[in-house]
Structures are given as structure tokens and as C-alpha cells.
Amino acid sequence: MANNTKKKKRSSGMNMVARSYVKYFPLFLLPTVAAFLIGFIYPFCKGIYLSLCKFTTTSDATLIGFGNYVKAFQDPTFLHAFWYTALYAVVSLILINLFAFMIAYALTQKIKGANLFRTAFFMPNLIGGIVLGYIWSMIFNGVLAKYNTSILMETKYGFWGLIILMCWQQIGYMMIIYIAGLQSIPGDMLEAAKIDGATEFQTLIRVTIPNLMSSITVCLFLTLTNGFKLFDQNLALTNGQPFIFQEDGSVVKTTEMLALNIYNTFYGQNISARGVAQAKAVLFFILVAGISILQLKLTSSKEVEA
């Protein structure tokens, strides 16, 4: 009887908690939904609308249709920035993940001072992009200081300067994700591979990497999106320079990436081009979202279920 009474009281208490949860759930959810609508949905929809308008301020927008998108595709600076950013994103994705995995693999082999090395590699990620850009700008400029010129004023050096900067900043962060994935691989699986006579390389290819696909998916997603969205480091390190003058009088900044191109279009001398900049921003969103979803789909399909 006593046990039945306790069970009834426990069941009654759980029912009261459930009813309270259902009753007050909308109250606690409302601030989050309101913040999401005000901070994301409304600006996003407003941005799509403004991309179809000609405006200098958001209060005097005039609907003109898809003219801004036509001008965006006809803009040589935007097309150059697109291909430059795509090349940068691919190269940075490969190098960052390759070095991050190599370092993570080495630091999970029970070497002395592993925690110290992890901290040292991770620390650059704590530095802000603008500060990091100016620091590396001074480092690169110091290489040719005696010649009174900047090494970053050459397109190829500006590109690799951005690659080195981003590798130095992001390798440590991706390393932590890879270390977490490596440590989650079941030890008996690795032991079984060793007993079966698999070499260290065979174990890496057939056991470690397949079990690490969830971490690889996350790291590829982060490096890919970060590569396409790069702005502050690009602004601080090269500001898009050097310049190339086109036959039609337009100026193409050879190290200018998509985000910086949109910024320069919006805040440039021609304030009537703000609609074009907004159209570029919408295209930029579609591009990054589409590539990210495709990458997630491709890599997630190769993940091994535990």
C-alpha cells in the first residue's frame, strides 16, 4: 500500500510538471521567436525587397524589378571577386583541414606536452580578424621593408598572404574538433585492426578516417563558409589591392573578395548603386547557402553510424 501511494504521488507530481510546462511553454518561447523575427526574418525579407529597388536610404526605395541583378552580373569587379573567392575557399579548405588533421593526429599519439601544444595552436583563433590582419600586414611588409615596397601589392603574394593568415588562425580551432573525433573512436576497433595485422596507414584509411567523418563534415562546413564569408582579414591585410584598370574605365581590385566587394559597392562614391550591392548580397547568400548544403549532404552520407 505504501509503495502504491508513493507511485501515485510521484505520478501526480510528474503530471503537474508536465501541465505547467505546457502552460508556460509559449511564454518562454515568445521572446526567442520575437527576437528571431525582428533580428533575422524581417531584415532578410527587407533585404530581398531592397535588392529589387533603387534607393539611397531604405525609406525612399523605388521598385525597379531585376535590374540590379542584371547590373551585378555585368559588373567585372563582382565576377572577379566571385572566382577569386571560390579559388581562395577551395585552397584554404584543403590546407586548413589537412594541417589540422595532421596536427590532431600527432597530438593524440601520447606525446609529451600535448596539452601545451594544443593550447599554443588554438590561441591564434582568439585574436580578432581586424587585429590579425594588421599584425600579418606588418609581418609581410617587414619582409621587403628595406626596398620601400609592400610584398602584398602583388596579386599572387596577396592571395597567399590571406591563405597563410587564415591557416594560422583557423588550424587550431579545427584541430580541436579533429582531436575530439579521434578520441571518440572506440579503442577496441583500433585494437582489432592491429590484431588483424593492419599497418598504421591501413588503420588510418580504413578505420580512423571513416569513423572521423562527422568531425570532417563539421570542419569542412566551417572552413568552406568562413572562406566565402571572409571580410575583416581581407580588409585589414590587402583592402583588395592592387588595382587593375579596365578598358571601360572600371577598376578591379585583384585581391578583393565577395564580402569586401559588396561592402565597397554599397559604401562607394556612387550611392545609387546600393540596390546593386543589395542584389550582390542576396546572390552571395544563395551561393554560400547552396554550396554549404551540398557539402553537408555529400559528407554526411559518408558518415559511419555507431
Side-chain angles (χ1 to χ4, degrees), residues 84-101:
Y84 187 83
T85 305
L87 177 62
Y88 171 84
V90 171
V91 174
S92 63
L93 180 145
I94 294 172
L95 293 180
I96 290 173
N97 283 280
L98 179 63
F99 284 110
F101 175 77

Side-chain angles (χ1 to χ4, degrees), residues 64-278:
I64 61 171
F66 292 94
N68 290 328
Y69 289 92
V70 174
K71 291 179 180 179
F73 283 114
Q74 292 176 343
D75 185 356
T77 66
F78 182 67
L79 297 177
H80 173 82
F82 168 77
W83 292 112
Y84 187 83
T85 305
L87 177 62
Y88 171 84
V90 171
V91 174
S92 63
L93 180 145
I94 294 172
L95 293 180
I96 290 173
N97 283 280
L98 179 63
F99 284 110
F101 175 77
M102 291 171 59
I103 294 170
Y105 188 77
L107 294 180
T108 52
Q109 302 302 309
K110 298 180 181 180
I111 64 174
K112 292 183 179 180
N115 291 333
L116 179 62
F117 286 117
R118 293 178 189 180
T119 303
F121 281 114
F122 182 76
M123 283 183 66
N125 188 70
L126 303 177
I127 304 175
I130 289 289
V131 175
L132 197 63
Y134 284 123
I135 290 173
W136 276 96
S137 178
M138 289 187 289
I139 293 173
F140 288 130
N141 289 338
V143 174
L144 295 178
K146 61 181 179 180
Y147 300 108
N148 295 320
T149 185
S150 173
I151 193 173
L152 299 174
M153 288 298 100
E154 291 190 32
T155 302
K156 61 180 179 179
Y157 294 129
F159 177 84
W160 289 109
L162 286 167
I163 291 291
I164 292 171
L165 184 156
M166 289 305 295
C167 285
W168 191 75
Q169 183 183 30
Q170 293 190 12
I171 282 176
Y173 186 82
M174 304 306 160
M175 174 202 70
I176 296 298
I177 298 175
Y178 281 126
I179 287 175
L182 289 167
Q183 292 178 338
S184 67
I185 298 175
D188 54 352
M189 191 177 294
L190 298 173
E191 188 66 25
K194 186 177 181 180
I195 293 173
D196 289 341
T199 63
E200 187 172 345
F201 180 75
Q202 290 174 329
T203 302
L204 174 66
I205 299 299
R206 301 294 180 88
V207 179
T208 303
I209 292 180
N211 283 276
L212 200 64
M213 280 307 300
S214 58
S215 297
I216 293 174
T217 298
V218 173
C219 289
L220 290 180
F221 173 79
L222 291 175
T223 49
L224 188 63
T225 54
N226 288 340
F228 273 99
K229 296 187 301 181
L230 189 71
F231 172 74
D232 43 1
Q233 294 91 336
N234 188 201
L235 176 66
L237 189 67
T238 67
N239 196 23
Q241 298 181 47
F243 306 97
I244 294 180
F245 292 93
Q246 302 292 313
E247 294 180 357
D248 59 357
S250 61
V251 179
V252 174
K253 295 182 177 181
T254 58
T255 63
E256 183 182 63
M257 303 181 75
L258 277 173
L260 183 59
N261 178 264
I262 295 169
Y263 173 86
N264 287 334
T265 303
F266 193 91
Y267 292 104
Q269 295 180 351
N270 185 9
I271 61 174
S272 62
R274 290 184 173 180
V276 179
Q278 191 61 46

